[in-house]
Amino acid sequence: VEVSDDADFKKAGVVADRTEEDQPNPGVAAVEIAAKGQTARYVRVTATKLAPRQSDFILALAELEVIDADGKNAAAGAAVSA
């Protein structure tokens, strides 16, 4: 998970890196990742390994929230790209 002030992520900060070890499947529980004091306008989630399914592979991401200093979800209603 990376954060950046520019949409191109030319200068980005890493807030979570799971490339050495898989992120355990949380089931229906939320996964919380602290921003470590970093502030940003954009958040990027990169999957480096997908979960196998019958004849393909998947990444299941139900929702992404970005909680600001006031406790509000800054991502609500924001544009999303893939």
Side-chain angles (χ1 to χ4, degrees):
V1 178
E2 297 169 277
V3 295
S4 180
D5 283 327
D6 65 274
D8 294 330
F9 282 78
K10 291 180 182 175
K11 184 178 179 188
V14 176
V15 294
D17 184 346
R18 304 289 195 268
T19 54
E20 294 296 321
E21 184 176 316
D22 292 347
Q23 170 69 42
N25 184 339
V28 296
V31 174
E32 294 184 22
I33 299 172
K36 303 175 186 173
Q38 297 184 66
T39 60
R41 182 172 179 185
Y42 300 95
V43 176
R44 175 166 62 189
V45 176
T46 302
T48 58
K49 180 179 178 185
L50 301 176
R53 200 165 54 172
Q54 292 177 4
S55 60
D56 60 358
F57 298 87
I58 62 166
L59 166 68
L61 178 65
E63 182 178 13
L64 178 68
E65 292 183 337
V66 178
I67 307 302
D68 66 15
D70 296 324
K72 296 179 182 171
N73 182 6
V80 177
S81 64

